[in-house]
């Protein structure tokens, strides 16, 4: 498949795009054209790994990666679960992987691609995390030969369980607590790529196209599953921070999957809604919220969405964003539990807030991006209950933690590369 940068027209291969992460012109890699499919052929699948193979195969034409059914079976070894909440209302649980967030899909897919491309060459994978990416990537990389993982997280700004899941891995994983915000971490990662030699450096942030490809399956697969019974286009609400997950949803729609409206829920970091309102993009320092994996003041993937909808009025028409504050997040967690006996994490709560305001007969799906047990510090006192800890989390919490604290400047990081 031909891949281009959002800022240029030079064509690269999918392999080059995965290895580089960010394009040399500073842009993000996107497919030059999306594959077109005969949708009818997809209705027979009821297993994600089997569905993934034909859907993603066109992206790997000409690739050195042997993209086959076995590749998909290894990556998609845990389910994606679609549950009814009420009539025409569904929740898409994306949190059944090893670190209990949707990031496990992208992280595992990316690492599998990278290993296939490196063929034993030594590499370092850098990743900035506002919570869940770091644990997913560390989990996917832990113990892998020839690859080191360097995970930067904002010190004291993620939950204790999130931190435990970043710092508990094998010796090839280096966890760095940065005295700053997620945006500082992301800046350090971007900076590392502009600092001289970086041949053996890549990034696993959602800027890497290999993180986005498996995410489009969430929407492709669930829309196909649901249209069989709903006989209508399926509408989604996606909790968003860096906009990677929702970009994948737009891509799935572009590819022809039966997707209707896409709504975006952000937390109090409202740069995207401000941009749509004012027409001027004004990145900001992120503010801390209960949905911390969405605390992003300068969402990278907005550039991919703008590339898809280059005209401002087109963008305004396609992007439906609402910012949901902490008070509304708490109220949403409460209401969802009381009304449906269903526990949601603070991120999913932003989507629930929007879902609860919809009053139509169309099928709506909210993406549930993390397991509530990762955010017990928020949920347990709020609802006065104890959340059962899933087995995979129990195992990680019992391991010793290891991390180093660094200043938020390029020198501190370059010394470690
Ligand atoms: C990363 C994350 C998000 C935001 O996803 P983006 O792709 O950055 O928009 C939402 N919820 C959870 C639980 C996350 O970990």
């Amino acid at each position: 498949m031909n891949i281009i940068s959002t800022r240029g027209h030079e064509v690269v291969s999918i392999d080059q795009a995965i290895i580089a992460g960010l394009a040399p012109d500073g842009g993000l890699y996107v497919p030059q054209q999306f594959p077109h499919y005969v949708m009818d052929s997809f209705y027979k699948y009821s297993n994600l790994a089997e569905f993934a193979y034909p859907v993603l195969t066109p992206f790997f034409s000409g690739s050195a990666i042997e993209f086959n059914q076995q590749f998909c079976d290894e990556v998609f070894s845990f389910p994606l679960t679609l549950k009814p909440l009420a009539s025409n209302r569904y929740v898409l649980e994306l949190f059944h992987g090893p670190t209990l967030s949707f990031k496990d899909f992208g992280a595992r897919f990316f690492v599998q691609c990278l290993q296939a491309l490196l063929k034993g060459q030594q590499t370092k994978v850098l990743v900035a995390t506002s919570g869940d990416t770091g644990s997913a990537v560390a989990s996917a990389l832990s113990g892998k030969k020839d690859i080191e993982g360097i995970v930067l997280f904002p010190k004291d700004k993620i939950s204790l369980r999130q931190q435990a899941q970043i710092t508990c891995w094998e010796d090839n994983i280096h966890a760095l607590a940065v005295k700053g915000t997620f945006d500082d971490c992301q800046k350090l990662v971007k900076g590392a790529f502009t600092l001289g030699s970086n041949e053996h450096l890549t990034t696993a942030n959602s800027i890497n196209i290999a993180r986005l490809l498996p995410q489009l399956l969430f929407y492709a697969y669930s829309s196909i599953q649901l249209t069989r019974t709903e006989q209508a286009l399926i509408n989604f609400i996606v909790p968003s921070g860096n906009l990677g997950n929702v970009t994948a949803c737009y891509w799935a729609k572009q590819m022809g999957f039966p997707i209707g409206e896409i709504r975006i829920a952000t937390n109090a970091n409202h740069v995207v809604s401000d941009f749509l309102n004012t027409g001027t993009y004004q990145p900001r320092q992120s503010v801390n919220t209960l949905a911390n994996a969405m605390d992003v003041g300068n969402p990278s993937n907005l550039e991919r969405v703008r590339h898809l909808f280059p005209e401002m009025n087109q963008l305004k028409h396609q992007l439906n964003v609402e910012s949901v504050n902490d008070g509304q997040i708490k109220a949403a967690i409460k209401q969802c539990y009381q009304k449906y006996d269903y526990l949601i994490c603070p991120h999913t709560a932003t989507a629930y807030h929007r879902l609860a305001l919809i009053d139509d007969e169309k099928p709506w799906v909210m993406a549930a991006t993390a397991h509530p047990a990762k955010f017990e510090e928020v949920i347990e006192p709020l609802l006065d209950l104890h959340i059962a800890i899933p087995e995979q989390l129990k195992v990680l919490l019992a391991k010793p933690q290891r991390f180093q604290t660094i200043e938020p400047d390029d020198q501190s990081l370059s010394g470690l590369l």
Side-chain angles (χ1 to χ4, degrees), residues 177-193:
V178 177
K179 292 185 188 164
T181 61
F182 167 68
D183 293 321
D184 291 321
C185 297
Q186 187 152 271
K187 227 186 284 161
L188 285 183
V189 168
K190 282 195 176 168
F193 284 88

Side-chain angles (χ1 to χ4, degrees), residues 100-103 130-133 162 206 211-212 215 238-246 293-294 296 301 345 347-348 368-371 374-375:
L100 305 177
S101 85
F102 80 86
K103 305 269 186 3
S130 53
D132 295 326
T133 300
Q162 281 179 316
S206 60
R211 289 270 310 275
L212 291 199
Q215 291 175 185
V238 184
S240 300
N242 223 0
L243 303 182
N245 196 0
V246 79
M294 292 160 39
V296 182
N301 286 292
C345 83
H347 311 80
T348 308
T369 49
H371 194 289
K374 282 189 101 159
F375 302 93

Side-chain angles (χ1 to χ4, degrees), residues 31-201:
Q32 189 175 37
Q33 258 183 339
F34 287 96
H36 286 284
Y37 303 98
V38 181
M39 282 297 143
D40 289 349
S41 64
F42 292 127
Y43 286 90
K44 62 174 182 271
Y45 299 103
S46 52
N47 166 297
L48 181 66
E50 282 168 18
F51 176 83
Y53 175 50
V55 173
L56 296 181
T57 292
F59 290 94
F60 290 91
S61 68
S63 168
I65 298 168
E66 233 179 282
F67 188 79
N68 51 26
Q69 187 59 57
Q70 193 192 337
F71 183 106
C72 295
D73 291 343
E74 280 171 29
V75 173
F76 304 107
S77 57
F78 46 88
L80 167 166
T81 314
L82 202 50
K83 289 187 178 163
L85 208 55
S87 138
N88 302 316
R89 301 292 182 261
Y90 300 87
V91 50
L92 177 60
E93 293 183 348
L94 303 171
F95 52 66
H96 296 292
T99 68
L100 305 177
S101 85
F102 80 86
K103 305 269 186 3
D104 282 322
F105 287 97
R108 286 163 64 95
F109 192 87
F110 165 73
V111 168
Q112 188 95 342
C113 288
L114 195 63
Q115 269 207 307
L117 289 170
L118 292 171
K119 300 191 172 70
Q121 213 179 306
Q122 301 272 338
T123 301
K124 288 181 177 156
V125 177
L126 265 179
V127 59
T129 183
S130 53
D132 295 326
T133 300
S135 50
V137 171
S139 153
L141 284 174
S142 181
K144 295 273 185 209
K145 251 182 67 186
D146 304 317
I147 308 186
E148 280 178 69
I150 299 168
V151 183
L152 291 80
F153 65 92
K155 188 170 171 1
D156 302 326
K157 291 197 179 66
I158 65 177
S159 81
L160 293 174
R161 284 187 185 172
Q162 281 179 316
Q163 182 167 319
Q165 292 180 97
I166 293 172
T167 55
C168 69
W169 303 100
E170 300 203 17
D171 291 347
N172 68 324
I173 306 300
H174 311 286
L176 302 177
V178 177
K179 292 185 188 164
T181 61
F182 167 68
D183 293 321
D184 291 321
C185 297
Q186 187 152 271
K187 227 186 284 161
L188 285 183
V189 168
K190 282 195 176 168
F193 284 88
T194 49
L195 286 174
S197 164
N198 52 32
E199 268 171 63
H200 302 303
L201 210 57

